[in-house]
Amino acid sequence: MTSLISESFEVAPKATPITADLPKEHFIASVTEDYDVTCWGCGLHLLLPSHAPVFKCGWCGALTNQNAGKRECKYFWLRRLRDRCFVCILLMFMLFVICGGVWAAFPVLFSISYFHGIFHSIITFMLSVTTVYTFSSASFACAGTPPCVVWGSYPAVGKGALENYTFCQLCSKPKSPRSHHCRSCGMCILDMDHHCPFIGNCVGAANHRYFIALLISVVTSTFYISIMTVYVCWHIWPSITYEPFDDSYGFGSDFAMRAIREIVYGLLKSVVLLSPRGLVLVYLFVSSVSLGIGLSILLWQQLCFIYEGKTYLNHLNDGVGEKDCQNLVQFFGCPYSFSIYLPHCSLSRFLPSFRKKTQRHKK
């Protein structure tokens, strides 16, 4: 029997279709003692030079893993319940921050001047609407599903039509190269970055921009809240009383430590005299600063991955990406150039490009 010459790959050997199903112009050489398998992508019987658990079809390019089994998704309902609880808790916290901040800060702002009150009311409304909208879009929108492709039949599947596709045993359908199956969502996600329990959804191709916009909105809001709470507390904070400093021993390190200790002690005594509005403002300041620092680190990490042309899962799998500022431009939906309006003006001229080839670690 004759067939195509088989080739070897790092990931999987390339299997060759049996020649009874292919035109005669594909006959090149004869192979003996082959292992007969079937490709899930095109349905052709393939010839393997050896019994390989993972192989690549020489016709459609699909990858087949013969050892892959359908593993049960245990505690799927528990994961969904966890995600729903996180979403409800986060929504209640957002409503508490918005309503509590308005109740605690705005009477003081309007007492200072109506201009301050109206100005900060507009800013608060814009930030609140933006945060709630991006959170809802990232949480309740589909994260992105792999494209629907024809598979399973040789006449319908063309040569190379399923290049590097794999078969998802849990979804029972083809999975594109940049797709991953999420056990919490129970489906394959295109360009999956990670599953975020705080939004109760995966971050994928369809909602990744909403997730980044949510991080930007929350970081901006926490920065604004921290500034406003300090500004309002400056007007309503009780007077701080402390004992006079004894400077008979000079102004050395001991004097500085005593001064700091007296100031901290005076602040703690004045907190007891704070009104409920002041206590709410103190809580909002502490929570906004801590939350803003954590989400700023997450936002920076996400932007670094986008700049490198990768996702978080690709980064864990040692994925190869090309570092370029145009990745950020393309991610946020901006065109590469303004050639429609200015034919000789390209955006790539003004954006720095740092191209660095990433080499895989050879074992």
Side-chain angles (χ1 to χ4, degrees), residues 313-354:
L313 289 180
N314 294 136
H315 173 73
L316 293 180
N317 297 330
D318 194 21
V320 179
E322 186 177 0
K323 296 182 179 180
D324 198 339
C325 288
Q326 290 183 350
N327 293 331
L328 293 170
V329 177
Q330 186 181 19
F331 175 83
F332 288 105
C334 300
Y336 277 130
S337 63
F338 300 96
S339 57
I340 299 177
Y341 309 101
L342 299 174
H344 301 288
C345 179
S346 177
L347 188 60
S348 60
R349 298 179 181 179
F350 307 100
L351 291 178
S353 177
F354 305 97

Side-chain angles (χ1 to χ4, degrees), residues 78 81 84 90 94 142 164 180 217 271 296 306 308 330 358:
L78 191 60
L81 179 62
R84 295 295 180 266
L90 195 57
M94 292 169 58
C142 179
N164 294 329
H180 300 272
S217 177
V271 169
S296 298
I306 297 171
E308 295 174 359
Q330 186 181 19
T358 305

Side-chain angles (χ1 to χ4, degrees), residues 225-237:
I225 291 172
S226 60
I227 293 177
M228 286 306 304
T229 51
V230 171
Y231 177 74
V232 175
C233 286
W234 179 263
H235 289 80
I236 66 172
W237 200 274

Side-chain angles (χ1 to χ4, degrees), residues 21 38-45 57 59-60 62 149-158 161-162 165 167 172-174:
D21 299 326
T38 303
C39 174
W40 65 265
C42 55
L44 293 176
H45 292 280
C57 178
W59 174 256
C60 65
V149 293
V150 179
W151 63 283
S153 177
Y154 161 66
V157 179
L162 299 176
Y165 271 68
F167 189 78
S172 298
K173 62 182 180 179

Side-chain angles (χ1 to χ4, degrees), residues 211-357:
F211 182 74
I212 297 297
L214 173 63
L215 293 180
I216 295 174
S217 177
V218 173
V219 170
T220 305
S221 300
T222 53
F223 179 73
Y224 171 75
I225 291 172
S226 60
I227 293 177
M228 286 306 304
T229 51
V230 171
Y231 177 74
V232 175
C233 286
W234 179 263
H235 289 80
I236 66 172
W237 200 274
S239 59
I240 302 175
T241 58
Y242 50 86
E243 296 180 1
F245 302 145
D246 185 10
D247 56 353
S248 59
Y249 298 98
F251 296 92
S253 58
D254 294 338
F255 176 79
M257 291 301 298
R258 288 197 304 271
I260 293 174
R261 184 170 59 251
E262 288 296 332
I263 293 175
V264 172
Y265 183 66
L267 284 173
L268 293 178
K269 288 193 300 184
S270 62
V271 169
V272 181
L273 303 177
L274 277 177
S275 63
R277 297 180 188 272
L279 295 176
V280 171
L281 290 174
V282 171
Y283 171 77
L284 290 178
F285 174 77
V286 175
S287 61
S288 62
V289 170
S290 57
L291 185 63
I293 293 174
L295 292 183
S296 298
I297 297 174
L298 178 60
L299 177 61
W300 176 256
Q301 182 191 53
Q302 287 287 313
L303 293 178
C304 289
F305 288 151
I306 297 171
Y307 167 74
E308 295 174 359
K310 298 187 295 185
T311 60
Y312 178 69
L313 289 180
N314 294 136
H315 173 73
L316 293 180
N317 297 330
D318 194 21
V320 179
E322 186 177 0
K323 296 182 179 180
D324 198 339
C325 288
Q326 290 183 350
N327 293 331
L328 293 170
V329 177
Q330 186 181 19
F331 175 83
F332 288 105
C334 300
Y336 277 130
S337 63
F338 300 96
S339 57
I340 299 177
Y341 309 101
L342 299 174
H344 301 288
C345 179
S346 177
L347 188 60
S348 60
R349 298 179 181 179
F350 307 100
L351 291 178
S353 177
F354 305 97
R355 303 182 183 274
K356 181 180 178 182
K357 295 183 179 179

Side-chain angles (χ1 to χ4, degrees), residues 13-25:
K14 190 172 183 179
T16 57
I18 291 181
T19 56
D21 299 326
L22 295 176
K24 294 182 178 181
E25 56 268 19

